[in-house]
Each structure stands twice: as structure tokens, then as C-alpha cells.
Amino acid sequence: MSTYITKRLLMIIPVLFTVVFLVFFMVRLIPGDTAEVIAGEQASAQEIENIRKQLKLDQPIHVQFGHYMSGLARGDLGRSARSKRPVMEELMARLPNTVYLMLAAIFIAVVVGVATGTISGVKPYSIFDTLSMFVALFGISMPVFWLGLMLIIYFSVNLGWLPSGGSGTWRHMILPAVALATVPMATISRMTRSSVLDVMRQDYIRTARAKGLTEMSVVWRHALKNALIPVLTVIGLQMGTLLGGAVLTEKVFSWNGLGRLMVDSIVARDYPVVQGAVLLIATSFVFINLIVDILYGYLDSRIRYD
Amino acid sequence: MSLLLIWRQLKRNRMAMLGLLIVLIFTLAAIFAHWIAPDDPIAMNLRQSVEGPSAENLLGRDELGRDILSRLIYGARISLQLGLIAVGIGIAIGVPLGALSGYFGGAVDMIIQRMIDVMLAFPAMLLAIVLVSILGRSLNNAMIAIGIVSIPVYARLVRASTLTIKEMEYVQAAKALGQTDLGIIIHQILPNLLSPIIVQSTLQVASAILWAAGLGFLGLGAQAPDPEWGAMLSSGRDFIRHAPHVVIFPGLTIMATVLGLNLLGDGLRDALDPRMKL
């Protein structure tokens, strides 16, 4: 196991390096003069020149890269073109909000998805099963930002129960978390159903029943434990959907997170912030995938890594 | 498998037929938008801003007084075209990469797979956003970005199947007969990959439409006054308190299209090969 973790850690080094490299080139690939683009249309020649100097765009590309890498090593990602504050500070101010939102969404998706999927799997073709599969089908076909808008119309505008946007209290979190949870919830529910259905046909379930265990304890202690391994795979695969969805959800609910910061910065052409946000999100994604992979190994001893 | 046989299989699947019907309706709407749409999709009429649905305007008017139904019909043209072309880009690059990777193995495989790994290091939506921010905000660039994001799906799918097919006896026979590597890939391997590629593409067009709507919503895709579904949701957002119809209908349209494609894709998968799992 520890050799596997080491190997897996070594494998992400080239990937991370390429991500860092690509993000560096990202700003340099913008068509036209980068400094002019960042300065905006009304900028004077002097302002453009200042930006060029500040971003070291007047230096040879390898010098620029060296500067970028040494900054990165010190946690220095440059300064925001809009707020003039260090990019790192801006990112760290928003990061917790995105993490909370995602954790809440994962929690809802797993609890509801596994529960409905299990009931469906134990009693396939029942009314509950048909209904929940129908809901899941709509869930994966719905744009997450539209669901967000519908939740706002119903729960904020019509009923006035919850705030329509902003961040701060737990009440602000409910609607965005539910919206973000929907797609993973639907996928987890479908996967749990087919996995439970499969496990319920196994011999050891028949044995457990023959021992005289209650149906409840057969499902809880024997079926679910084995059925959840493929479900975990799906949860891992959903992390990308969740990160992408978070960007849209944050926009809908004016949630003060990383995704919204990134999109607003793209529109405002604040490239230092865009670079920092992309770097942070992509790096987190690589590590999340690593952790998910390692977790499989602990949960399923049949998985062998050679 | 012959087309007739696939059709017979598909016809038995009611959900798939519903999906096909939905997709057909939207395709026809897209093709004949000019004749079907009751009104000009970009003609403004500020006096009738955010008017609710009525006999005259079935789905009401948007914030600039434009007929929403007409915009949705023209929007079908944008979304379907974008979905098809984006997926076309993904196939055109991903399939050859996957075939080369699986057929030759070794260093070629290694290099191509590491490239794919890097693309997969970004969540799909984020990669599309990054690409659009480099290329510039426009509908065409959104299409290119989504096309690029689709490459890994095809590269992985084709590579895995090529690995199995290249060991088949008929491939060995072709080799023995002196067919070139390129000839074998084109004439022996790719025809066998047609079914999985078609199934994947149906589902992939659905994803492309969702991503494009997402980019449009963020203001990174289609720009005003294009009647793109995601952009319509974005501009209608400020009016949800008083005129929710402005955002309800575009969203329902996106959902119906995506649902139709998903149902059709699932049905095709079962029809082409019941054992095939993607």
C-alpha cells in the first residue's frame, strides 16, 4: 500500500508541473499584446508600459518563467489588476466559502443518493423506484444554474423562506448546496441502485437471510457494505462535475467563492487572479483524485496496485 | 450490425423512442426556424418588456420585449449546431489519437496518454472556461473549447477498444496479407468502433449543449443579441422576481433537449450491444 501511495505521488509530479506550465502560458497565449489587454481600452501608454514592467513581459520568456516559478515557490502569485491586492490573499479569502459549499453538497448528494438508491435496489420496480429513477433522469438533464434559479423563484421569491443570494449564514448555504448536489445525487442514486440490486443476488445474502437475520440487518450489515465500493468510485468521478458546477452555482447565488472570483476576473481581464484561481482549482482537483484513489485501496482489499 | 436491425431494436424501447421524438422536434425546429418562428428573434419592443405568456406570444416576451418562443426556436439552431460541431472536433482529434495510442503502444501511447492525463487534470467545465478565457469570449470559441474538452473521452474509448481489436484474427490476417498499419487502422479497426462512437456521441452532444449553456450563462459563450439558451437565462436573471417566465422557458428547453439526447443515447447503447457498458 505505501509503495502504491509513493508511486501515485510521484506520478502526479509531471501532471502538476504541466498544469503550472500551462497556466504560465495561458496569459501569454492571449491574442494581441497581453499588457494592452490587461490595461484595458482606456489605458494610457504609460499605464500599459507599467503593467508590462510589473508582469516582466518585457523580459525574455525564460526569465519570465523563472520569475513566475520563484514567485510560486514563495506563494507569491502576483497582484490583482483590479484590487491591487496580492492574488494569494484574494484566493485564500474565497477558498473557505467554496470548500464549505462543496462539502455541504457532497453531504446532501451522498446521504440522499445512497438512501434512495438503496431503497430502489432492495425493492426494484416498485413505485418508489420508478419515481426516483424518473427524478434522477431529470436531475442529470437539468442545467445546474437553471435549477438554482428555479429554487430562488420558489423558496425565496414565492415563499420567502430563504435568502436568494449572498454568503454568510447557514441559511444562505441551503439553496446553493441543494442545487449543486442534484447532479451527483442523481448519479449516486442510479449507481447505488444497480450496485445494491447486484449484491442482493449474491449467495452470502441468501446465507444471511437463511440465518434468520431481519431484512433490515441483511441490508445494513451485509449488502450495503459491499454495494458501496462502486458507489465510492462514482463519488470520486463526480468531483470534477462538482467543481465545475460550483463555478455556475456561485454565480447564480452570488456566493463569494473561488469560482465566482475566477469568472468575474475573466470578464474584467484580471489575468493574475484568473491564473491563480485556475492553478488552485486544478491542483486541488489532482489531489482530490489522488485521495479518492488511495481510499479505494483501503476499502476494497481486492484492488491490487502493481 | 445492419441499420435495419438497430432500428428494430430501438423501436421496442419506448423511452428511447421518446428521446428520438424530442431530438427530431428540436432538429426540425432548428432547420426550419425561419418558417416556424412567429416573430423576429432579435427585434426589440421595449414597450412590451417582460410581458407574460399570452395568446399572441405563447411564452411571453423577454426584458427587451423580444418574443421568447421565437428566440428559443432560433436558439435550437445555435445549440444543436454547436453541439454537433464541438463533438465533431472531439471525434476528429480524439479518435485518431486513441487509435494511434492503442495500435502502436510503446512511446506513442505513453506520450498521448500523458497529454490526455494533463487535460483530465482540469475539471471539464473549468478547462472549457480556461480555453475560452485564452481564445476570447465568443460563441465560436466556446464551441472550439468544448470540442477540445471532448477529446479525452474519445481518445480513451478508442484506445481501449483498439487494444482488444488489434489482437483479433482478422487483423492478424490483414497484416499477413501485407496491409499497411494505416490501412489496418482505417479498414479493420475503425469500422468496428462505429457503434461505441455513435452511442458516446449522442451522450456527448447532450453534455456539449449543457456546457455551452453554462458558458453562455457565465457570459463566456454566446454574446448579445444571439438567442442562445444559456445567455437568455443569464440576461433574464434580473427579472425573476416579477417575470419568472423569462427564465423558466429557456431552462425547460435545455432540459428537454438534453433529456431527449440522454434517452436516445441510452437506447442506442442497449440496441447496439446489450452487453456494452460505457
Side-chain angles (χ1 to χ4, degrees), chain B residues 2-278:
Chain B
S2 78
L3 278 175
L4 196 72
L5 211 63
I6 294 171
W7 172 241
R8 257 189 227 146
Q9 285 285 333
L10 197 63
K11 227 166 42 175
R12 276 194 228 137
N13 185 338
R14 250 192 257 153
M15 292 307 260
M17 290 317 285
L18 177 67
L20 181 65
L21 182 72
I22 296 173
V23 173
L24 266 179
I25 291 174
F26 279 102
T27 312
L28 290 175
I31 296 172
F32 299 107
H34 188 66
W35 288 278
I36 302 171
D39 203 353
D40 184 333
I42 50 175
M44 291 188 261
N45 188 351
L46 289 173
R47 251 178 298 169
Q48 286 176 288
S49 172
V50 298
E51 247 183 31
S54 65
E56 191 196 347
N57 305 108
L58 285 179
L59 303 183
R61 289 181 177 270
D62 71 0
E63 69 282 0
L64 296 175
R66 297 171 293 200
D67 179 42
I68 292 180
L69 178 62
S70 306
R71 286 178 70 71
L72 289 177
I73 291 173
Y74 275 93
R77 195 177 265 190
I78 296 180
S79 290
L80 290 181
Q81 235 174 20
L82 184 144
L84 288 175
I85 298 176
V87 167
I89 295 172
I91 292 176
I93 302 174
V95 170
L97 281 182
L100 291 176
S101 194
Y103 187 80
F104 290 108
V108 180
D109 186 32
M110 178 71 190
I111 293 168
I112 294 177
Q113 290 313 309
R114 290 299 80 77
M115 274 165 50
I116 302 292
D117 277 350
V118 170
M119 294 182 73
L120 292 174
F122 293 87
M125 188 69 198
L126 179 70
L127 185 59
I129 292 174
V130 168
L131 290 168
V132 169
S133 73
I134 296 171
L135 298 167
R137 293 182 278 146
S138 78
L139 188 63
N140 276 340
N141 289 340
M143 187 168 71
I144 295 169
I146 293 169
I148 296 174
V149 172
S150 318
I151 294 173
V153 178
Y154 289 101
R156 283 272 154 98
L157 174 74
V158 171
R159 175 179 181 270
S161 313
T162 306
L163 283 176
T164 334
I165 296 174
K166 78 168 176 186
E167 302 300 334
M168 298 278 179
E169 275 164 3
Y170 59 84
V171 175
Q172 303 298 326
K175 215 176 242 170
L177 287 171
Q179 202 164 21
T180 59
D181 287 332
L182 190 67
I184 292 175
I185 291 178
I186 293 175
H187 297 293
Q188 314 295 337
I189 293 178
L190 286 186
N192 283 296
L193 290 176
L194 216 55
S195 331
I197 289 177
I198 290 173
V199 171
Q200 186 59 48
S201 299
T202 316
L203 301 169
Q204 204 64 32
V205 171
S207 300
I209 289 176
L210 274 180
W211 286 331
L215 290 175
F217 180 73
L218 293 174
L220 304 176
Q223 304 290 322
D226 278 347
E228 196 268 334
W229 296 336
M232 287 173 73
L233 281 172
S234 166
S235 58
R237 244 187 101 185
D238 300 331
F239 301 88
I240 57 174
R241 273 175 200 282
H242 312 293
H245 71 273
V246 177
V247 291
I248 291 177
F249 296 123
L252 282 177
T253 313
I254 300 174
M255 191 172 74
T257 316
V258 173
L259 186 71
L261 285 162
N262 280 338
L263 289 175
L264 180 62
D266 285 347
L268 276 174
R269 176 171 59 206
D270 296 343
L272 287 169
D273 183 356
R275 290 159 306 167
M276 193 168 77
K277 285 259 158 63
L278 282 171

Side-chain angles (χ1 to χ4, degrees), chain A residues 162-221:
Chain A
L162 293 162
S164 66
S167 21
T169 68
W170 62 271
R171 298 183 64 232
H172 288 97
M173 176 116 70
I174 297 176
L175 293 185
V178 169
L180 185 55
T182 306
V183 177
M185 195 196 304
T187 321
I188 291 170
S189 176
R190 285 174 102 173
M191 190 67 213
T192 309
R193 176 187 185 269
S194 73
S195 183
V196 167
L197 207 56
D198 202 42
V199 167
M200 292 304 278
R201 290 195 203 105
Q202 301 292 323
D203 287 343
Y204 58 80
I205 295 296
R206 200 178 45 194
T207 311
R209 280 188 179 137
K211 276 197 305 190
L213 293 181
T214 58
E215 193 63 19
M216 195 68 184
S217 114
V218 169
V219 172
W220 265 107
R221 305 203 11 217

